[in-house]
Every structure is written in structure tokens, then in C-alpha cells.
Amino acid sequence: MTQQMPVAWVTGGTGGIGTAICRSLADAGYQVLAGFNNPDKAKTWLETQKADGYENIDLSGVELTSFEACQNGVRDIREKYGPISVLVNCAGITRDGTMKKMTPDQWDVVIDTNLNSVFNTCRSVIEDMLESSYGRIINISSINGRKGQFGQVNYSAAKAGMHGLTMALAQETATKGITVNTISPGYIATDMIMKIPEKVREAIRETIPMKRYGTPEEIGRLVAFLADKDNGFITGANIDINGGQFMG
Ligand code: CAA
């Protein structure tokens, strides 16, 4: 039964936004493979999904900064569930700090995890998508890749770079049944946001016209929309979902 479901791979699937994306795609009838970083957390996370009735969610953790690991991970998914038809690049980290204090390590780890990983995953799935003349790639970027953010030269650069990749790959695949799009969430109520010092966080919230953070479920629904096979005329687009905080 599950072998016949279309397959979706969600990197960062066990995170705040990732979890909502996994559930939304599972609700839409996909066999979902959630990428993860922390095996212990992932095991508990999967138990929760199963307890909540999500039989069609499983784990697939690969080191996204390694091209070889991504190739092997995609091969393993193909062998067990079939080729991936939906890839959601949702894995991401922050290492905030102003330029004058930022270390080369803080720069490198964010570029590797948030941007180089997107090449590794897209390159690993693209041949199967071209072969089947079908695919949906959805890159979860950020409002801060659109407008920049004080204290985030690394993150803003990586997230802006994601959309450059989106637009280029969308052109390469436009006649092949594959769409490639970027979603740029604003501040969403997750653990990542809670790491921002409270005073700074509250000041940011005041700049959101809706005066609230977004919910992970709001992102999940948008991903499911773009993943839908009937929504095939949107490609190379960036969709802002930020409560009006940035209108570009
Ligand atoms: N704009 C202008 N000035 C700012 C500022 C801002 N947004 N934030 C801080 N400053 C000023 C401070 O007032 C301070 O000024 P003075 O030196 O004149 O007093 C100076 O910059 C230094 O600020 P800090 O004391 O905060 O410096 P710090 O080194 O302790 O911290 C920081 C710097 C780590 C960048 C901290 O300000 C911070 O965490 N900012 C939040 C960054 C942020 O928004 N990250 C988003 C994470 S969530 C995410 O990324 C998800 C997503 O996609 C949306």
C-alpha cells in the first residue's frame, strides 16, 4: 500500500516548521520521509507521529553537507519506497552575530547547512525527476534572505542564495514537468525564534503588521499547495508568508 504512494523527502523534517510540512504532505497522501539531525530526538518524534495516526511518515536522516551521503540517502529511499517526486529543503540553522564578531566557522556552517545542502539534495533527486518527467522542489528560504537581517550576514546570504538556485533550476526544468519554488517564511513560532534574545524578539514582533508570529501549519499548507500535481504553472517563484513584515 505505502509503496504506491508518491514519495516526499522533507529535510529538517523533525524541526518546528518541518513537522508541520511532513504532516501536511502525509495528509495529502504522500509517503513522507523526514530528514533529521539528532537520532534520539528523531526516534521520539517518529513515535509521536505514529501515535497521532501518521503511518505514512518515516525517517531518512543523511548528513546534508555531504554530497555522497545525499546520493546514498536518495538511493536508499528509492529502493525502499520508490523515486522521490517531492523534495522540500527545510533544514536550516542559525549562528547569529554581527559581522565584526562572526567567525569563519559561523559563516561556513551556515552556508554548508543552509545552501550547499540544497545543491546536494537537488542534484541527488534531479535525475529521477527528469526520468519520470515529474517533480516538485520547494526550498524553504526566509524573509531574511529577502530583506537582510542585522546579525545574520551568513543566514541572509544562504537564504538569498537558495532563491537564486530556485530560479536557475526552474528554468532548466520548465519543460520537464518539474516545478521549483521558494517559500520565504517570516518569523514563525518555533524553537529557532525562541533563541533570539527576548528583547530583540519582542522588538521584531512589533514590526510585523499582523503583530503575531506565523504558525508552522500555515507553512505546511502552502507547501502542500505547491506540491500538488495540479499546481504545475507556478515555477521559479518566491512566495512570501510573513504577516506583512516584508512586501517586496
Ligand atoms: N537594527 C539596528 N541595530 C541593532 C539591531 C537591529 N535589528 N539589533 C541590535 N542592534 C544594535 C544594538 O542596539 C546595539 O547597539 P549599541 O552598541 O549602540 O548599544 C548593537 O547593535 C549591538 O547589539 P547587541 O547588543 O544585540 O549585540 P550582540 O552581539 O549581543 O547581539 C545579535 C547581536 C546576535 C545579532 C542579536 O542582536 C540578535 O540575536 N539579533 C536577532 C537576529 C535575528 O533576528 N535572528 C533571526 C533568527 S530566526 C530566523 O532566522 C528564522 C527566520 O528565517 C526568520
Side-chain angles (χ1 to χ4, degrees), residues 10-22 34-36 41 45 90 190-191 216:
V10 181
T11 73
T14 60
I17 294 178
T19 300
I21 293 173
C22 288
F36 62 89
K41 181 185 156 197
W45 178 90
C90 183
T190 63
D191 288 348

Side-chain angles (χ1 to χ4, degrees), residues 94 96-98 100-101 141-144 149-152 155 159 185-188 192-193 195-197 200 204:
T94 53
D96 293 352
T98 51
K100 70 178 179 190
K101 292 186 192 163
S141 178
S142 165
I143 185 175
N144 294 342
Q149 170 61 36
F150 187 103
Q152 283 198 312
Y155 187 88
K159 292 299 189 179
Y187 285 72
I188 309 300
M192 188 184 264
I193 298 300
K195 280 193 213 150
I196 305 171
V200 177
I204 289 172

Side-chain angles (χ1 to χ4, degrees), residues 135-138 170 173 177-181 226 231-236:
R136 297 277 181 265
I137 296 176
I138 299 157
T173 56
I178 301 167
T179 66
V180 190
N181 290 293
L226 290 175
N231 294 329
F233 200 53
I234 305 172
T235 199

Side-chain angles (χ1 to χ4, degrees), residues 10-235:
V10 181
T11 73
T14 60
I17 294 178
T19 300
I21 293 173
C22 288
R23 287 177 170 235
S24 187
L25 291 174
D27 287 339
Y30 292 89
Q31 169 61 54
V32 177
L33 282 313
F36 62 89
N37 192 30
N38 176 334
D40 292 334
K41 181 185 156 197
K43 193 167 165 271
T44 313
W45 178 90
L46 187 62
E47 283 163 10
T48 305
Q49 309 316 309
K50 301 283 184 203
D52 289 347
Y54 285 97
E55 285 304 321
N56 51 336
I57 294 181
D58 203 348
L59 294 168
S60 168
V62 302
E63 176 48 59
L64 297 171
T65 59
S66 159
F67 179 64
E68 197 185 352
C70 287
Q71 293 263 299
N72 292 340
V74 167
R75 184 203 55 216
D76 292 347
I77 293 172
R78 187 193 303 115
E79 282 172 5
K80 190 162 179 198
Y81 294 104
I84 292 166
S85 57
V86 175
L87 166 66
V88 184
N89 283 302
C90 183
I93 59 168
T94 53
R95 294 290 183 274
D96 293 352
T98 51
M99 178 65 107
K100 70 178 179 190
K101 292 186 192 163
M102 188 171 288
T103 64
D105 280 351
Q106 282 176 292
W107 171 266
D108 286 342
V109 74
V110 168
I111 298 296
D112 271 351
T113 308
N114 297 9
L115 181 60
N116 290 338
S117 65
V118 180
F119 167 76
N120 292 338
T121 57
C122 289
R123 179 67 186 83
S124 298
V125 303
I126 201 69
E127 287 178 40
D128 280 346
M129 288 185 178
L130 289 168
E131 174 84 9
S132 59
S133 299
Y134 183 77
R136 297 277 181 265
I137 296 176
I138 299 157
N139 293 325
I140 309 298
S141 178
S142 165
I143 185 175
N144 294 342
R146 303 267 291 139
K147 67 169 187 55
Q149 170 61 36
F150 187 103
Q152 283 198 312
V153 293
N154 48 3
Y155 187 88
S156 301
K159 292 299 189 179
M162 278 177 107
H163 188 52
L165 184 152
T166 289
M167 293 187 291
L169 185 56
Q171 291 177 35
E172 291 182 19
T173 56
T175 60
K176 314 289 183 191
I178 301 167
T179 66
V180 190
N181 290 293
T182 299
I183 293 176
S184 293
Y187 285 72
I188 309 300
T190 63
D191 288 348
M192 188 184 264
I193 298 300
M194 296 315 283
K195 280 193 213 150
I196 305 171
E198 192 181 348
K199 236 177 89 191
V200 177
R201 196 172 64 233
E202 280 311 304
I204 289 172
R205 198 163 72 97
E206 277 309 302
T207 68
I208 304 172
M210 289 190 187
K211 305 288 182 212
R212 70 168 177 91
Y213 302 125
T215 68
E217 289 71 26
E218 286 170 319
I219 309 300
R221 283 195 291 275
L222 182 52
V223 169
F225 178 84
L226 290 175
D228 192 307
K229 69 174 171 33
D230 290 332
N231 294 329
F233 200 53
I234 305 172
T235 199

